[in-house]
Amino acid sequence: MRTSIVLLLAASILIGCDNPNPTTAEYDGRFAAAPAEMTTDAMTSGGAQRGLALLQARSGESYIYDHALTLSMASDHIKARFERARDRCQNDAALQCKVMQASYRVLGNPDAPLPVADLSVALPHESVAAFEAGLVAPLPNESPGDFVVQSRSTTAQNVTNQVTDLDRRLAQLADYRDRMSALAKRSNAATDDLIKIEGEISKTQSELEQLQGQKRDLADRIAKENMSISFQAQSTVGDALQPVRDVWQSSMRILGQSTAAVLMLVIGILPWIPVIALGFFLVRWLWRRLRRKPA
């Protein structure tokens, strides 16, 4: 009976060899090498949406969409537009939006700061247009020429093969685990065989859980579209007049600093006034004596 169990175990392994069962690492390697990518660049949202519609029309296929926008605006509007987009993603439940990454930083000289911001979000397909519309909506007191969509691109990656391979791999592992479980339930199995079978079941279950996690991640990426927004400063009339506004707003401080400098100069000169006066009268006395001398 022990021999029959070993033979059945060997037969199960041979069945698995007929339908290759790579390890998780091997599957991940094939997963990374397989994708076919298709890129659509569009400077208008209408062109991008038409391209997406054509891709989605191909029934039975799965795609991952990535959008990239570069927005140029007056430097003093970057923080406000960035925070508005970030807060809307976090607080507007209707969008079902998730902030993946948010970054705001100030570069350059403190006297002439250059703000830069980046935002990455994940959205359901039906929320992309609404979120972008709110993103480009004008801010209060923003001039029409102070904002422009510098660039827009959409990338669609076909992951149909990856979904199919992942489902097939999960089915193979589940079938192999069930076969091992059936062997483990035999009452006349030897202890050594049970130990080997339990080891195979444990290993297969671990691989199943890892692949199920990959499937959940892939399903989430398919269900939502990624949008990366870069907020950059552009040279505007407002930026050109910013130094004038800065001086006007700090005029009292500048006046105080100038008054303090003059007062410091006067205080520094006061001890030298007697010396200067004595020198002046001495030079004047000597000059008069020289003029009175007879020729």
Side-chain angles (χ1 to χ4, degrees), residues 97-256:
C97 180
K98 181 179 180 181
V99 175
M100 306 303 294
Q101 183 268 340
S103 171
Y104 177 82
R105 56 199 183 279
V106 178
L107 308 177
N109 193 306
D111 296 334
L114 178 64
V116 177
D118 295 286
L119 179 65
S120 178
V121 301
L123 295 152
H125 307 300
E126 61 275 11
S127 299
V128 173
F131 183 78
E132 184 175 344
L135 186 66
V136 301
L139 293 167
N141 302 322
E142 185 177 46
S143 302
D146 285 351
F147 174 80
V148 63
V149 178
Q150 194 72 29
S151 66
R152 181 192 285 107
S153 66
T154 297
T155 301
Q157 181 181 354
N158 191 327
V159 293
T160 306
N161 292 337
Q162 297 156 18
V163 173
T164 303
D165 291 345
L166 196 53
D167 289 339
R168 183 173 61 250
R169 175 69 174 133
L170 285 169
Q172 291 172 355
L173 286 176
D175 180 68
Y176 184 67
R177 179 197 58 190
D178 294 342
R179 289 172 179 269
M180 294 297 100
S181 298
L183 289 175
K185 293 178 182 178
R186 296 178 65 93
S187 58
N188 55 354
T191 303
D192 291 343
D193 292 335
L194 287 175
I195 292 174
K196 293 178 181 179
I197 292 172
E198 290 297 334
E200 285 295 317
I201 292 175
S202 177
K203 178 182 177 182
T204 304
Q205 183 62 36
S206 177
E207 292 186 4
L208 271 172
E209 292 174 357
Q210 292 179 4
L211 290 181
Q212 287 167 352
Q214 291 182 25
K215 183 176 180 179
R216 286 192 298 270
D217 292 341
L218 183 59
D220 187 62
R221 294 180 64 194
I222 293 172
K224 291 189 175 183
E225 302 185 14
N226 298 318
M227 179 178 291
S228 299
I229 308 107
S230 176
F231 302 80
Q232 298 180 359
Q234 68 169 339
S235 180
T236 65
V237 175
D239 287 337
L241 296 178
Q242 185 62 40
V244 178
R245 291 198 298 267
D246 291 342
V247 171
W248 178 255
Q249 292 173 358
S250 58
S251 57
M252 294 303 297
R253 179 173 57 84
I254 295 174
L255 178 61

Side-chain angles (χ1 to χ4, degrees), residues 22-60:
T23 63
T24 301
E26 291 170 346
Y27 184 83
D28 288 342
R30 183 179 60 174
F31 188 92
E37 294 187 1
M38 180 165 62
T39 303
T40 303
D41 293 320
M43 294 306 294
T44 65
S45 58
Q49 293 301 326
R50 285 193 298 272
L52 294 181
L54 290 174
L55 293 176
Q56 292 169 348
R58 301 177 63 179
S59 60

Side-chain angles (χ1 to χ4, degrees), residues 59-115:
S59 60
E61 296 196 345
S62 302
Y63 289 88
I64 293 175
Y65 299 111
D66 292 291
H67 307 279
L69 284 83
T70 301
L71 310 180
S72 296
M73 66 209 75
S75 58
D76 53 350
H77 292 159
I78 288 180
K79 185 176 182 180
R81 178 169 267 106
F82 164 76
E83 291 180 344
R84 183 182 69 175
R86 181 199 60 194
D87 294 345
R88 186 185 179 206
C89 180
Q90 292 176 332
N91 302 324
D92 192 341
L95 289 175
Q96 301 180 41
C97 180
K98 181 179 180 181
V99 175
M100 306 303 294
Q101 183 268 340
S103 171
Y104 177 82
R105 56 199 183 279
V106 178
L107 308 177
N109 193 306
D111 296 334
L114 178 64

